[in-house]
Amino acid sequence: MADVNVNLVDPISSPSGEDMAVKAVHKRYEGLVAVRTKAIKGKGAWYWTHLQPILIQNPETNVPKAVKLKCTLCDASFSASNPSRTATEHLKRGTCPNFGSLLRPISQLPPLASPSSQNHRKRSSPQTGSGTGTSSSSQQFGLVNTSPRFCGEMGYSPVQTAQAIVTHTGLNQQHLVLSGGKEDLGALAMLEDSVKRLKSLKGSPGPALSKDQVDSAFNLLADWFYESCGTVTLSSLEHPKFKAFLNQVGLPAVSRKDFVGEKLDSKFEEARMESEARIRDAAFFQVSSDGWGRDICKYGEDPVIKFIVNLPNGTNVFHKAVYKGGLVPSEYAEEVLRETIKGLCGNVVQRCVGIVGDKYKGKALRNLEIQNHWMVNLSCQIHGFISLLKDFGRELPLFKTVTDNCLKIANLFNSKSQIRNHFRKFRSHGVELAGLIRVPSADCNLSKNYGPVIAMLEDILSYARILQLIVLDDSYKVSCIEDPVAKEVAEMIQDVGFWNNVEAVHSLVKLIKEMTDDIEVERPLVGQCLLLWEELRAKVKDWCAKFSIAEGPIEKIIDTRFKRNYHPAWSAAFVLDPLYLVRDASGKYLPPFKRLTHDQEKDIDKLITRLVPREEAPTALMELMKWRSEGLDPLYAQAVQVKQRDPVTGRMKIANPQSSRLVWETCLKEFKSLGKVAVRLLFLQATSCGFKCNWSFMRWVSLQGHSRVGMDRAQRMIFIAAHAKLEKRDFSSDEEKDAEMLGTANGQTMYSVQEKRDGKGQ
């Protein structure tokens, strides 16, 4: 240990030549950093913005050995012996590949002066006095626009621009003026823009792309444009900002004509051939037609009828879109459906085992079912559930009373300016008002379109707290003396029973809409229809108990709507689907016939007799009796009913939805006649909703109604977009997604206000 201590040398007390060199390197580095720092602050040469001093270390000893200058634009390194010469050779003479695309403000461009004046200015120290001591050459182009708009567009902040001014002229910002005053700033900004455009013409700022890369990029751009289906308009492709973006990334400009010509035709043919191949491979299928009816919970109407083919393996293939132009009579709908089936099946029309549509169940669909005995034509479950709102509004007294009372409140506050001004007074109470209370238009038929009423109820509930504050204000009480309607409205708003009724109606509407949304997402099969209506009845029964409302009238309305939507295939698919088999005391898995009524059991016999050839009808009924008594092997029944959690929704779902049909085609081959019926029933979908077009695109389609070329292009664009969405099993609308995201805050506000009001009432 003693020897080791003796041999240690203190580097500080005994400096060597190597240490002196390291100190010199550090000193040189610190000096350059100091110069660059001052230059960035406006007290030095312009090129220091792009040159950065760096220390080069010895890889063996890990100590600094040299100082170099690094270009911040291209990461190249140079000797630090002469920064000015480095800037001239690397930046000004075009050696740096990125310096030419960087537009410097005019204040940093070489001034229009003689070399002697340039040298004199370079040697002179920055002046901080008044402008009288400044030469004319130093003021040329010495001021740029520091307005936020100009600085934002050019990529410089106002502070950076001001620093550039001081760097060039050596003047403080407050003493810099132009001969025209502040009005010259706009003209100077235009001059800078012109210089920028002229520089950009010399070469594309983006990277150089090969022809294959450009073609691939445009192919992806076309896919995105067509799949947006109206979200991105044709005019947007020629927007100056979009052109600038393409130029920035190294792509040539595009034209609207590029996307409605050969590119559109090739994309359409590619999607059409793929769809037709899938349809040919299927032994049978179901046709879904959506767009005949009107969504009574939304404004507007879809001018296009979409036809989708539902295959037995659970996939959906888009077939075509037909422009309807207005109200369609049942006879015309039947003709269009018949032609669609013939176009899909050719001479083998038996391949189409059924249709599901959002309208014409009692006429067109019924007639086609009678003419083709093997068909099962269903009414869309979403349309059936939403139609309940129309039934409630027309037949339930509570709905009519609440609607009339809310109309009185909305009309009073929307039409009386002195009363409407009270809203602004009470904004500090936690409610941000979007505007007037939404009310149905005068020509709106509430018995057919209940959407505007729902919007009005939501507004009344969201304004509940502020309405109660307004009617208690002294100025409103003065209005009540002059206006009897204001007095009636005040009494109504202060009545607890009124708010209970409004909440009851809104709660029932919300209940039905939530079930409808679930149906739209889950897309149930025909075997689930009976269970859906049972679930609805149970929820409505709980609703009646919560709000102390008699069950009789509302149950009657639901039963009437159920009978109008009911099809015998609901009951048949329910008992034939192994998914719903019930384990009895002996361990057998048997079909749930006990949950059916006597009439529904008869419906099953009649349906099976109709669907099979006449000579096979007795055999099919005997097989049905055997199925009822024996059921399915427990092992296979349990395998069919295995569930797993959906990672997206978190709900438990059937692990293999196709297993119900596959069991009949493999394990239950002994049921030859009944098996044919089962495999054709179990895959049938109970909803017709599928691809949703953008409403702006639909308006454009409506304008093309009398143009054959325009309509043909619109149909092709719809086909491409629908094909892509169905490939991804995306049945949502981009507009609805955007509305949901933008309306989240409003929705949270509405329910928070509602919760506060409920808490106060307690």
Side-chain angles (χ1 to χ4, degrees):
M1 289 293 294
D3 294 339
V4 175
N5 291 333
V6 169
N7 292 332
L8 290 176
V9 179
D10 187 356
I12 298 178
S13 60
S14 304
S16 63
E18 182 179 352
D19 297 331
M20 296 297 293
V22 172
K23 287 184 179 180
V25 171
H26 271 292
K27 187 175 181 180
R28 174 62 173 166
Y29 172 74
E30 292 172 356
L32 292 176
V33 170
V35 171
R36 185 175 187 267
T37 303
K38 290 182 180 180
I40 292 176
K41 293 181 178 180
K43 298 181 180 180
W46 61 269
Y47 52 77
W48 282 112
T49 306
H50 311 299
L51 298 180
Q52 179 183 4
I54 58 173
L55 279 173
I56 305 299
Q57 295 180 334
N58 190 324
E60 297 179 356
T61 61
N62 201 28
V63 296
K65 67 175 183 178
V67 181
K68 289 194 175 184
L69 296 178
K70 177 183 177 182
C71 177
T72 59
L73 299 176
C74 65
D75 293 336
S77 298
F78 307 93
S79 171
S81 59
N82 194 337
S84 176
R85 185 178 62 185
T86 299
T88 302
E89 294 178 353
H90 182 63
L91 298 177
K92 287 187 177 181
R93 295 182 180 177
T95 306
C96 179
N98 298 328
F99 183 73
S101 62
L102 180 66
L103 178 63
R104 290 176 289 156
I106 293 181
S107 58
Q108 294 183 357
L109 292 176
L112 300 179
S114 63
S116 61
S117 63
Q118 293 183 17
N119 296 334
H120 174 73
R121 185 178 66 255
K122 191 189 319 181
R123 295 191 190 96
S124 62
S125 61
Q127 301 179 16
T128 57
S130 64
T132 57
T134 307
S135 64
S136 60
S137 63
S138 66
Q139 290 188 2
Q140 291 182 0
F141 304 100
L143 181 64
V144 297
N145 189 352
T146 59
S147 64
R149 181 200 70 81
F150 172 73
C151 296
E153 290 180 357
M154 298 300 294
Y156 294 88
S157 66
V159 175
Q160 291 173 326
T161 308
Q163 292 172 352
I165 295 171
V166 175
T167 300
H168 179 69
T169 63
L171 294 174
N172 289 334
Q173 182 182 2
Q174 59 184 359
H175 298 295
L176 292 175
V177 293
L178 292 171
S179 58
K182 294 182 178 180
E183 299 299 326
D184 278 350
L185 297 179
L188 187 58
M190 294 176 61
L191 179 60
E192 292 249 15
D193 291 340
S194 300
V195 174
K196 181 179 180 180
R197 284 193 292 269
L198 290 172
K199 277 181 170 287
S200 65
L201 293 176
K202 295 180 180 179
S204 173
L209 301 179
S210 64
K211 184 178 182 302
D212 292 341
Q213 289 176 318
V214 172
D215 293 341
S216 177
F218 276 127
N219 190 55
L220 292 173
L221 178 64
D223 289 339
W224 169 71
F225 173 75
Y226 294 134
E227 291 176 19
S228 70
C229 196
T231 304
V232 181
T233 62
L234 281 167
S235 301
S236 301
L237 299 173
E238 296 183 352
H239 193 280
K241 296 293 185 182
F242 185 70
K243 288 184 175 180
F245 165 76
L246 294 178
N247 184 53
Q248 190 67 28
V249 298
L251 293 173
V254 296
S255 171
R256 288 181 290 181
K257 296 180 180 179
D258 298 335
F259 290 83
V260 294
E262 295 182 1
K263 178 68 71 173
L264 175 63
D265 295 339
S266 63
K267 291 288 183 182
F268 168 73
E269 287 299 325
E270 180 182 346
R272 184 184 63 83
M273 292 177 63
E274 186 174 347
S275 297
E276 290 181 351
R278 291 185 178 181
I279 295 173
R280 283 195 303 268
D281 290 343
F284 46 83
F285 51 80
Q286 178 193 36
V287 173
S288 172
S289 61
D290 179 57
W292 301 103
R294 180 190 181 105
D295 191 342
I296 67 172
C297 282
K298 297 177 182 177
Y299 297 91
E301 188 169 355
D302 194 342
V304 174
I305 305 164
K306 283 89 64 179
F307 290 88
I308 296 176
V309 178
N310 303 324
L311 303 181
N313 59 9
T315 59
N316 311 98
V317 179
F318 192 80
H319 176 54
K320 67 177 180 179
V322 177
Y323 178 71
K324 64 181 180 182
L327 185 64
V328 179
S330 176
E331 294 77 10
Y332 176 73
E334 183 178 340
E335 180 182 345
V336 171
L337 290 170
R338 185 181 292 107
E339 291 177 354
T340 301
I341 295 171
K342 185 176 180 180
L344 284 168
C345 303
N347 296 327
V348 190
V349 291
Q350 289 81 3
R351 292 182 63 208
C352 178
V353 298
I355 304 171
V356 57
D358 61 343
K359 200 176 181 182
Y360 305 119
K361 176 183 182 294
K363 296 182 180 179
L365 295 181
R366 179 61 177 167
N367 291 341
L368 288 172
E369 194 175 79
I370 294 174
Q371 297 167 13
N372 306 281
H373 66 86
W374 62 88
M375 280 191 178
V376 173
N377 297 339
L378 307 170
S379 178
C380 177
Q381 285 300 298
I382 292 179
H383 186 265
F385 272 63
I386 290 295
S387 296
L388 275 173
L389 296 177
K390 177 180 65 177
D391 299 338
F392 292 151
R394 184 176 58 248
E395 302 176 27
L396 201 61
L398 176 64
F399 269 60
K400 180 172 176 53
T401 301
V402 169
T403 301
D404 293 342
N405 290 338
C406 289
L407 279 172
K408 289 181 182 179
I409 296 175
N411 289 330
L412 175 68
F413 282 89
N414 288 350
S415 60
K416 302 290 184 179
S417 59
Q418 64 272 24
I419 296 178
R420 189 169 61 251
N421 290 335
H422 292 298
F423 278 112
R424 302 187 183 94
K425 180 178 179 181
F426 292 99
R427 278 192 174 185
S428 60
H429 288 270
V431 178
E432 183 63 28
L433 305 175
L436 300 177
I437 299 175
R438 292 172 289 179
V439 295
S441 60
D443 58 346
C444 178
N445 187 349
L446 300 182
S447 63
K448 295 183 178 180
N449 185 9
Y450 206 72
V453 176
I454 297 174
M456 180 178 63
L457 292 177
E458 291 175 348
D459 285 354
I460 293 292
L461 280 175
S462 64
Y463 295 170
R465 179 59 179 160
I466 202 169
L467 289 173
Q468 292 171 353
L469 292 173
I470 289 174
V471 298
L472 294 175
D473 191 67
D474 293 336
S475 57
Y476 184 87
K477 293 179 181 178
V478 175
S479 302
C480 293
I481 299 175
E482 303 172 354
D483 189 350
V485 177
K487 182 179 180 181
E488 181 185 358
V489 167
E491 294 174 352
M492 190 187 307
I493 292 175
Q494 292 176 298
D495 183 11
V496 177
F498 163 76
W499 291 109
N500 287 338
N501 290 339
V502 174
E503 185 180 356
V505 172
H506 182 264
S507 177
L508 183 58
V509 170
K510 183 181 176 183
L511 183 155
I512 294 176
K513 289 190 68 178
E514 286 178 349
M515 287 197 66
T516 304
D517 293 340
D518 288 342
I519 292 173
E520 188 172 3
V521 172
E522 300 295 335
R523 301 181 63 82
L525 302 179
V526 63
Q528 299 171 252
C529 292
L530 290 178
L531 299 178
L532 289 173
W533 284 88
E534 285 184 7
E535 180 184 355
L536 174 65
R537 288 190 175 95
K539 290 183 176 181
V540 170
K541 187 175 182 179
D542 294 339
W543 174 84
C544 292
K546 178 180 178 181
F547 293 99
S548 301
I549 296 175
E551 297 180 12
I554 194 169
E555 285 183 351
K556 183 179 179 181
I557 295 173
I558 294 177
D559 288 340
T560 302
R561 176 55 59 180
F562 173 82
K563 292 177 181 177
R564 293 183 62 178
N565 276 55
Y566 173 76
H567 193 284
W570 293 9
S571 302
F574 180 60
V575 298
L576 292 176
D577 195 338
L579 181 63
Y580 305 113
L581 297 179
V582 181
R583 187 174 184 271
D584 67 356
S586 63
K588 291 183 178 180
Y589 279 80
L590 302 177
F593 277 91
K594 294 181 180 180
R595 299 181 64 174
L596 302 180
T597 64
H598 181 66
D599 291 337
Q600 290 172 345
E601 290 188 23
K602 289 184 177 180
D603 291 336
I604 296 175
D605 294 343
K606 294 178 181 178
L607 178 67
I608 293 176
T609 303
R610 177 171 70 85
L611 294 180
V612 299
R614 183 174 301 179
E615 62 275 10
E616 295 184 15
T619 304
L621 293 178
M622 291 179 62
E623 292 176 350
L624 178 63
M625 295 177 60
K626 181 180 180 181
W627 169 253
R628 181 171 185 171
S629 60
E630 296 182 4
L632 180 63
D633 180 271
L635 190 61
Y636 282 95
Q638 294 173 16
V640 171
Q641 298 177 3
V642 170
K643 293 185 178 182
Q644 64 184 11
R645 191 172 301 278
D646 189 330
V648 178
T649 63
R651 300 179 180 180
M652 298 300 295
K653 291 186 176 181
I654 299 300
N656 184 8
Q658 308 304 322
S659 58
S660 295
R661 176 179 54 84
L662 295 176
V663 164
W664 280 98
E665 293 182 338
T666 56
C667 305
L668 299 174
K669 286 185 176 181
E670 59 194 82
F671 299 93
K672 294 184 179 180
S673 297
L674 186 63
K676 295 178 183 177
V677 176
V679 296
R680 284 164 172 76
L681 282 181
L682 298 185
F683 87 97
L684 296 179
Q685 297 188 11
T687 59
S688 61
C689 62
F691 169 71
K692 293 183 179 180
C693 291
N694 181 280
W695 280 109
S696 60
F697 184 75
M698 289 296 95
R699 288 193 294 270
W700 180 76
V701 171
S702 299
L703 297 176
Q704 308 300 319
H706 300 290
S707 171
R708 186 187 63 81
V709 176
M711 184 55 61
D712 180 66
R713 288 174 175 172
Q715 290 176 336
R716 291 181 176 229
M717 293 176 70
I718 292 174
F719 191 100
I720 297 171
H723 178 76
K725 276 189 171 282
L726 293 177
E727 279 278 315
K728 298 178 290 187
R729 297 194 63 79
D730 182 7
F731 302 100
S732 60
S733 167
D734 292 336
E735 287 185 335
E736 292 178 358
K737 291 179 182 177
D738 295 342
E740 182 180 354
M741 180 188 68
L742 296 174
T744 300
N746 292 336
Q748 291 175 346
T749 301
M750 183 187 77
Y751 290 112
S752 64
V753 172
Q754 180 67 14
E755 290 169 359
K756 290 179 181 178
R757 187 182 66 79
D758 294 341
K760 186 175 181 179
Q762 295 174 355

